[in-house]
Amino acid sequence: MNSIFQFKRSYLIFSFTFMIFQGFIIALLYNLGYPESKIGLFLSINMISAVIGQFLNGYISDKYLTIRQVMLIQICISVLGISILFFTTNYYLLVLVGAIMGFSIMAIYSSMDSWVLFNSQETHDQYANILMFSSIGKSISTILVGKLFDLLGYNYMPVFYIISVCFLLPSIYKMRNSTKKEDKKINLEDLKGLFSIKFFSNILLVSLTVFGMYTIYVNSNILIQNYGGTVFHVGIYVSLAGISELAYFYIINKYMNKAHPYIYLLIANLLILVNVLLIIFTNQYIFIILSGLLYSGIFANFLMGAKKLFVIIVDDNVKNLGQSVSSALYFSLAGAITASVTGLIAENIGIQPLFKYVLIIVVLILIILIFLNKK
């Protein structure tokens, strides 16, 4: 078994590395002058590629390779992808980079979560505590790398990423495999739980939460710069969200660790409601930056709710595949649809009017979750 310390270390380094690309790619595209529709298309392809990567990761780690082996392969693939940025910032090649990074580095997150949740009862119970170190990694990355991008430019993105990977690979390599591969094939009976009405109804519920959460995150990045902020201010927004995640995960770990997943999702959507109202009624980038305090709570409660919900729903014999498929559907696929649709809407009617439609959806989700929590 792997210790909690090993997971904390790997989450910290992985999240630091992940944010070098994913935390600044929206700002990079905006800085290069691409409109919201092209940014949305980029993010859609990025997310759809993550769907494919997550599905393959889950299936392969349940049947053929260990999670550690899959992660090492995917990290190496991500290095190849980001290296394209050494040569060009052509939009179509940027889309290719987004596809490769989605397939590789984005798809790893669900594998990391599966590893923690199924490694041992101790790591399962300390999931929120371990995620605090993911927040630390993201916060350090966004502050440090954001400032470096302001000083040196985005052409250093692949350099910083590859340097960080040099620390990440040894950290993952030193970890031990927690499970042994079984000889039997995964059959239709094993997959029955993945195609039930209960599974897909919960996928839809969580996907609608992602719609609100992801719309806030993507457009907050753009609004900060629309209202006079810089890439550095975007980094402050992301880092503020990452730092305050520590407090949310501490509270969850201390007081809410045994809460039902629907409770987490209810809190997430209440915070989405407040954040949406703030965006509708402000035109000052300082308030958008401060809304990172709300976004961190949205993400922390969403992640705890979604991950633990599908631990309950999915059978143990397809546990890695179940986590990967559910994450691919409610996070990556829903995120891809959100990015594409909201990008087109924002370009045609504006970002603030877009959030009036988001407000309606969030209120409907809250009504559903209040009903579910009363059952």
Side-chain angles (χ1 to χ4, degrees):
M1 297 295 177
N2 296 294
S3 67
I4 291 174
F5 169 77
Q6 288 175 303
F7 279 117
K8 287 178 177 178
R9 178 193 64 203
S10 293
Y11 261 91
L12 189 151
I13 302 172
F14 174 76
S15 295
F16 181 96
T17 307
F18 175 83
M19 290 304 291
I20 293 172
F21 175 79
Q22 210 67 34
F24 292 96
I25 191 60
I26 297 170
L28 168 60
L29 293 168
Y30 184 82
N31 188 261
L32 290 171
Y34 295 117
E36 285 88 348
S37 58
K38 284 197 171 183
I39 294 174
L41 177 61
F42 173 93
L43 293 172
S44 296
I45 293 172
N46 178 243
M47 290 286 196
I48 290 170
S49 300
V51 172
I52 299 169
Q54 286 169 319
F55 182 84
L56 288 175
N57 284 0
Y59 180 78
I60 292 170
S61 58
D62 267 330
K63 175 59 185 170
Y64 299 107
L65 301 176
T66 63
I67 292 177
R68 184 187 70 156
Q69 290 169 328
V70 170
M71 288 183 65
L72 291 172
I73 292 169
Q74 292 286 56
I75 291 167
C76 292
I77 291 173
S78 75
V79 170
L80 295 176
I82 205 165
S83 295
I84 295 173
L85 295 182
F86 279 120
F87 309 104
T88 183
T89 54
N90 173 271
Y91 177 74
Y92 296 104
L93 289 175
L94 281 173
V95 169
L96 175 61
V97 173
I100 295 171
M101 298 302 284
F103 177 81
S104 55
I105 198 75
M106 280 191 70
I108 289 175
Y109 252 122
S110 62
S111 298
M112 288 280 287
D113 292 334
S114 292
W115 206 352
V116 173
L117 291 168
F118 300 116
N119 177 74
S120 67
Q121 188 61 45
E122 182 186 21
T123 57
H124 178 279
D125 292 342
Q126 291 296 310
Y127 181 52
N129 189 22
I130 292 168
L131 286 178
M132 288 172 62
F133 284 78
S134 175
S135 302
I136 293 171
K138 287 189 287 186
S139 301
I140 296 172
S141 182
T142 49
I143 293 172
L144 177 61
V145 177
K147 190 59 180 177
L148 289 172
F149 282 154
D150 257 355
L151 294 171
L152 302 174
Y154 283 112
N155 55 312
Y156 279 85
M157 182 180 282
V159 176
F160 298 149
Y161 186 88
I162 292 169
I163 291 172
S164 187
V165 163
C166 291
F167 292 92
L168 177 60
L169 285 173
S171 178
I172 300 298
Y173 183 78
K174 289 176 183 176
M175 297 183 74
R176 295 185 295 275
N177 299 319
S178 304
T179 56
K180 295 180 180 179
K181 302 295 104 183
E182 298 181 6
D183 293 331
K184 74 180 188 70
K185 293 182 180 295
I186 296 175
N187 53 44
L188 289 178
E189 187 64 26
D190 294 327
L191 298 176
K192 182 175 63 176
L194 296 183
F195 298 97
S196 65
I197 294 175
K198 183 178 182 181
F199 179 82
F200 282 109
S201 62
N202 280 282
I203 286 289
L204 178 60
L205 178 66
V206 178
S207 295
L208 289 172
T209 302
V210 169
F211 173 80
M213 179 179 72
Y214 199 66
T215 302
I216 288 170
Y217 178 77
V218 171
N219 289 285
S220 292
N221 278 255
I222 295 172
L223 283 173
I224 288 170
Q225 296 181 86
N226 279 352
Y227 294 156
T230 67
V231 175
F232 177 69
H233 292 114
V234 173
I236 293 296
Y237 166 77
V238 178
S239 61
L240 185 63
I243 291 169
S244 54
E245 270 181 25
L246 295 172
Y248 284 105
F249 281 127
Y250 175 80
I251 293 168
I252 289 170
N253 187 59
K254 187 78 173 177
Y255 302 107
M256 296 175 58
N257 209 19
K258 302 298 182 181
H260 192 278
Y262 288 144
I263 295 292
Y264 296 119
L265 294 175
L266 178 62
I267 294 171
N269 279 279
L270 284 170
L271 293 173
I272 289 173
L273 177 64
V274 176
N275 204 334
V276 167
L277 290 171
L278 177 63
I279 289 173
I280 289 173
F281 292 109
T282 190
N283 60 0
Q284 301 292 319
Y285 75 80
I286 184 65
F287 292 113
I288 305 297
I289 291 173
L290 291 174
S291 73
L293 295 170
L294 291 171
Y295 183 80
S296 59
I298 295 167
F299 182 76
N301 282 283
F302 155 76
L303 193 61
M304 292 296 296
K307 290 297 179 181
K308 291 199 170 187
L309 180 61
F310 291 99
V311 168
I312 296 171
I313 292 173
V314 175
D315 293 336
D316 285 345
N317 52 346
V318 285
K319 56 190 179 183
N320 294 320
L321 181 60
Q323 282 291 322
S324 295
V325 170
S326 60
S327 181
L329 293 174
Y330 69 68
F331 194 73
S332 300
L333 184 58
I337 295 170
T338 298
S340 181
V341 172
T342 59
L344 287 170
I345 295 173
E347 190 174 339
N348 283 282
I349 67 172
I351 292 176
Q352 283 188 315
L354 161 68
F355 277 95
K356 294 178 181 178
Y357 294 102
V358 176
L359 182 63
I360 296 170
I361 294 173
V362 173
V363 171
L364 290 174
I365 302 169
L366 282 170
I367 293 170
I368 295 170
L369 284 167
I370 290 169
F371 172 77
L372 289 172
N373 278 294
K374 283 185 176 180
K375 290 178 67 176

